[in-house]
Amino acid sequence: MSDKLNEQELVTVLSAKTKVDPKLIRLVLKHEQTFINNAKANAKGEVDIDNDDLVDYVVAQRDVKLDEITVETILDAEMDYLMDKGLAGYID
């Protein structure tokens, strides 16, 4: 995570927005980071993450006991947070 991103603040915001336990949010974010780290960058050095693939990956982890909708809600809320902070965006 970058210095600009305070994980505690992120987890607090996501928990308030999604009503999901912060421990479960941290677990989802940990698996998301693994997925992103394993993704291949394109020629421009950008990593294009398919949200459906990411949700499927997180839900498939043995220690994740959340349903697909909840995981997607957490990840969507995280993306909103990151875009508000100017740290992420969508590629058309």
Side-chain angles (χ1 to χ4, degrees):
M1 300 226 170
S2 78
D3 294 339
K4 287 184 179 178
L5 183 58
N6 177 328
E7 184 189 3
Q8 183 59 49
E9 177 186 327
L10 173 63
V11 171
T12 301
V13 168
L14 295 183
S15 181
K17 202 170 190 179
T18 63
K19 309 292 185 243
V20 175
D21 184 306
K23 284 187 283 221
L24 298 175
I25 290 173
R26 279 197 172 81
L27 188 61
V28 168
L29 296 179
K30 180 186 83 159
H31 288 305
E32 174 193 30
Q33 196 59 55
T34 301
F35 182 87
I36 291 169
N37 290 345
N38 291 332
K40 302 288 180 242
N42 65 16
K44 295 182 198 164
E46 298 167 335
V47 178
D48 184 21
I49 302 296
D50 181 281
N51 205 41
D52 293 335
D53 292 345
L54 175 56
V55 170
D56 290 345
Y57 173 82
V58 172
V59 171
Q61 302 311 301
R62 296 171 87 169
D63 54 350
V64 175
K65 305 290 186 232
L66 299 169
D67 62 38
E68 212 171 289
I69 306 267
T70 305
V71 169
E72 195 167 345
T73 301
I74 292 167
L75 295 173
D76 287 347
E78 179 200 21
M79 190 59 164
D80 290 345
Y81 175 89
L82 294 175
M83 287 183 7
D84 287 347
K85 296 281 186 187
L87 299 173
Y90 290 102
I91 301 172
D92 292 331

